[in-house]
Amino acid sequence: MSRKKKIFVLLGIIVMGFACIGISCKKKTYVDEYAYRESCIEKKREDFFNLMTECKNMFTYQQYEITLEKSYYDACAGEGCVLVSVKTNGTENFETDAFFDNKTGTLYFERTESGDWRYELYIINDEASFEIIDNSIYITAYVDVNNGTYYSKENKGIVLVDCEKENEEDKNCPGLSFPNNTVAKEIEIEKGKKIYITHSALVSEEEVFDLSINFNNGKEMVIHKAGEDIGNKVINVSYYENLIKFSFNELIDVETIKSIRLNGEIYELQ
């Protein structure tokens, strides 16, 4: 092999080596970003869980009592955490007469004569878990209206469906709405549109190209820049009709916000 060919082969190996390194780095970066996002979600859920307060809203249906034991729900952002219990005055054994679907966070209980489940309890959730204590069911549900499973009938956060009445024109499903714990700052921008900032998210009625939050201590939290990847402050962006929601990677103190910058314009908080 001539010296010239050897040089070209060597250059080819070097180029391929750099390409492999680049691919490896991209994979590592993707894995790191995914792990970081998951850790932020887990931490945020822990914070929601710790913010829950006693609620004790309840309803009864037949021999069952469904209670919203504890709740923290940011209605503006559609995020939070709830603890729901299901108790019976009958002879049902929930160890054998109930099934919890981890994928949807749906509880099925009481067998019919045909062996099907008679009742389905739906809770708005992005992730949920359950346990049985003294024949009572307790469900912890992390709420995200934009991401989670949502039974929309009557716009309730908790809905009980009696499957024996499922074919009736009006099922009159009993249920509960979540108490609103929203602490929000509201900013009016051009054309009467508004931006809402809560502990967990920012919701905008205006199209967003450039967005950041400025705090009293001089720090700036960059939420979005068109064409740039700044995804370390936001774990999710969702759209609903004319609204855009940026879900923060952590809870923030809205009382320390000074202003926002939206599409090049500064808007001071009143």
Coordinates of all heavy atoms in Angstrom, one line a residue, residues 56 62 81 92 103 158 175 181 185 189 208 222 270:
K56 N -61.5 14.9 53.4 CA -62.7 14.2 53.9 C -64.0 14.5 53.1 O -65.1 14.3 53.7 CB -62.9 14.5 55.4 CG -61.8 14.1 56.3 CD -61.5 12.6 56.3 CE -60.4 12.2 57.3 NZ -60.1 10.8 57.2
Q62 N -74.8 2.6 47.3 CA -75.1 1.3 47.8 C -74.4 1.1 49.2 O -74.5 1.9 50.0 CB -74.7 0.2 46.8 CG -75.3 0.4 45.4 CD -76.8 0.1 45.4 OE1 -77.4 -0.2 46.4 NE2 -77.4 0.2 44.2
C81 N -51.8 15.8 43.8 CA -51.8 14.5 44.4 C -53.0 14.3 45.3 O -53.4 15.3 46.0 CB -50.5 14.3 45.2 SG -50.3 12.6 45.9
E92 N -68.1 -7.8 51.3 CA -67.1 -8.0 50.3 C -65.7 -8.1 50.9 O -65.4 -7.4 51.9 CB -67.1 -6.8 49.3 CG -68.3 -6.7 48.4 CD -69.5 -6.2 49.1 OE1 -69.3 -5.5 50.2 OE2 -70.6 -6.4 48.7
K103 N -51.9 0.5 35.1 CA -51.6 1.3 33.9 C -52.5 2.5 33.9 O -52.1 3.6 33.4 CB -51.7 0.5 32.7 CG -50.7 -0.6 32.5 CD -50.8 -1.4 31.2 CE -49.7 -2.4 31.1 NZ -49.8 -3.2 29.8
I158 N -63.0 12.4 40.4 CA -63.3 11.0 40.8 C -64.7 10.6 40.4 O -65.6 11.3 40.7 CB -63.2 10.9 42.4 CG1 -61.8 11.3 42.9 CG2 -63.4 9.4 42.8 CD1 -61.7 11.5 44.4
G175 N -69.7 11.1 42.0 CA -68.3 11.4 42.0 C -68.0 12.7 42.8 O -68.8 13.2 43.5
N181 N -56.5 24.2 45.3 CA -55.4 24.7 46.1 C -54.5 25.7 45.4 O -53.4 26.0 45.8 CB -54.5 23.6 46.7 CG -55.3 22.6 47.6 OD1 -55.5 21.5 47.2 ND2 -55.8 23.1 48.7
K185 N -50.2 33.6 40.2 CA -50.0 35.0 39.8 C -50.6 35.2 38.4 O -50.3 34.3 37.5 CB -48.6 35.4 39.8 CG -48.0 35.4 41.2 CD -48.5 36.4 42.1 CE -47.9 36.5 43.5 NZ -48.4 37.5 44.4
I189 N -51.6 40.5 29.4 CA -50.7 40.9 28.3 C -51.6 41.5 27.2 O -52.7 41.8 27.4 CB -49.9 39.7 27.8 CG1 -50.8 38.5 27.4 CG2 -48.9 39.3 28.9 CD1 -50.0 37.3 27.0
V208 N -46.2 31.4 22.3 CA -44.9 31.7 23.0 C -43.7 31.4 22.1 O -43.6 30.2 21.5 CB -44.8 30.8 24.3 CG1 -43.4 31.0 24.9 CG2 -45.9 31.2 25.3
V222 N -35.3 30.5 32.5 CA -35.7 30.5 31.1 C -36.6 29.3 30.8 O -36.2 28.1 31.1 CB -34.4 30.4 30.2 CG1 -34.8 30.4 28.7 CG2 -33.5 31.6 30.4
Q270 N -48.1 42.9 39.4 CA -48.7 44.0 40.1 C -48.4 43.7 41.6 O -48.5 42.6 42.1 CB -50.2 44.0 39.8 CG -50.5 44.3 38.4 CD -49.9 45.6 37.9 OE1 -49.9 46.6 38.6 NE2 -49.4 45.6 36.7

